[in-house]
């Protein structure tokens, strides 16, 4: 195995996708190293396999974004998988949407240790209210929404493992709500 890929997997968020063979090989090499008593090498192989799996998850998250509404355009999906030691871990996917005078960013974050901090707001709506958020339901999930002029923000914690965030500027409330409803929340629940 090439050492530069191990370092890249540990130090930088990656957007490349590994195939199942590469993941299986890393797991097998980790098992062999463990059985040989080479614990550092085993840990590095298992970390590498975990990074490859997170990359795969990030790619799958990218398929859950809605298509642009009529009159809107969307950039390609940006996916990243970071090591738990750096960048808070977990996987992220985001997509930028725009039309004349309006823009929207949708971000999905999964399995990040940082979600524990945000979960406090969802379990204590009065704290969310102190932050200027209103609580509402979208497809049976609690969402926190904040509006300031024509800027809108939405945060939704799904299955305690996934954070969905929408941040819109210059768009109507109807357009903002249409995008929030169009995200495949059910797929995120079982992801």
């Amino acid at each position: 195995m090439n050492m530069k890929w191990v370092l890249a997997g540990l130090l930088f968020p990656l957007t490349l996708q590994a195939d199942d063979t590469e993941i299986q090989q890393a797991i097998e090499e980790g098992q062999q190293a463990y059985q040989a008593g080479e614990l550092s090498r085993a840990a590095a192989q298992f970390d590498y396999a975990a990074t490859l799996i997170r990359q795969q998850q990030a790619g799958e998250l990218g398929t859950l974004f809605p298509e642009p509404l009529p009159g809107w355009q969307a950039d390609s999906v940006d996916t990243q998988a970071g090591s738990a030691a750096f960048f808070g871990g977990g996987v992220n996917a985001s997509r930028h949407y725009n039309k004349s005078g309006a823009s929207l960013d949708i971000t999905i974050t999964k399995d990040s240790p940082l979600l524990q901090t945000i979960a406090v707001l969802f379990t204590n709506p009065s704290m969310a209210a102190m932050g200027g958020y209103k609580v509402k339901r979208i497809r049976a999930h609690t969402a926190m929404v904040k509006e300031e002029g024509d800027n809108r923000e939405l945060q939704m914690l799904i299955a305690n493992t996934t954070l969905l965030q929408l941040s819109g500027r210059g768009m109507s409330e109807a357009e903002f709500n249409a995008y929030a409803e169009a995200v495949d929340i059910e797929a995120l629940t079982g992801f």
Side-chain angles (χ1 to χ4, degrees), residues 84-105:
F86 303 92
F87 314 112
V91 295
N92 297 297
S94 61
R95 191 170 193 191
H96 178 77
Y97 300 80
N98 64 71
K99 76 171 192 177
S100 179
S103 66
L104 173 72
D105 291 299

Side-chain angles (χ1 to χ4, degrees), residues 8-48:
L10 294 175
L11 297 177
F12 301 103
L14 299 175
T15 58
L16 302 174
Q17 295 244 353
D19 63 15
D20 290 336
T21 305
E22 190 174 0
I23 293 169
Q24 287 296 331
Q25 181 180 354
I27 292 170
E28 289 170 12
E29 288 180 21
Q31 287 175 331
Q32 291 169 0
Y34 180 76
Q35 290 169 351
E38 299 172 12
L39 300 182
S40 292
R41 186 170 152 247
Q45 287 299 317
F46 291 131
D47 284 344
Y48 179 60

